[in-house]
Structures are given as C-alpha cells and as structure tokens.
Amino acid sequence: MRCLGRHRACRARDLDQALNHGDRALALLRRVESTRARLHLEDVATALGPRAAEPRAAAFLERVEQAASITEAGVAG
C-alpha cells in the first residue's frame, strides 16, 4: 500500500491534519509535475471520501476535482 503511515490523520479522524497534508500536495502540484505528490493527493482524497458531507472536506475534494480537470485540460490541449 502506498504512503503507508502518511494518512494516519485520516484514519485517526484528524480532519485538520488531513486537510493540511492535502493542501500542501495541491500547492506543490501547482508548481511542479510530481507523481509522488499526485499519488499523495489521491490517497488523502480517498481517505477523506467518507467525510465528504463535512463542509471543509467537501471544499477540499472540490479543489482536488478542479485541479484534476485543469491538469486534464492541459494534457488534452
């Protein structure tokens, strides 16, 4: 399993820490192309999926979706 141990925040239900990890990965991906950061972001988003009803988690997941669509548009264009 990739990123084992990095998402203890998600497993431990520490939303603040999980969002912090995810936001850092999003910020990194705005500056560079990084497979590791993208995988990390995917892991955090997956772990937060069950908490999507919470406003902060939903907002983060929306940011992830927007970033993915921008990346896909850049690849297609």
Side-chain angles (χ1 to χ4, degrees), residues 2-70:
R2 84 180 169 246
C3 299
L4 184 64
R6 289 188 186 166
H7 303 294
R8 290 177 200 213
C10 298
R11 289 192 300 271
R13 306 199 190 294
D14 185 344
L15 183 58
D16 290 330
Q17 189 174 4
L19 292 172
N20 183 42
H21 282 290
D23 284 334
R24 287 182 13 216
L26 270 172
L28 177 63
L29 287 169
R30 286 187 193 105
R31 297 188 316 264
V32 299
E33 252 185 69
S34 168
T35 300
R36 182 178 289 174
R38 184 181 48 78
L39 293 173
H40 181 72
L41 182 61
E42 290 172 5
D43 287 347
V44 173
T46 298
L48 286 174
R51 299 186 76 171
E54 295 183 42
R56 292 185 305 145
F60 170 76
L61 293 170
E62 178 64 27
R63 290 192 303 275
V64 170
E65 192 172 305
Q66 288 172 353
S69 67
I70 290 168

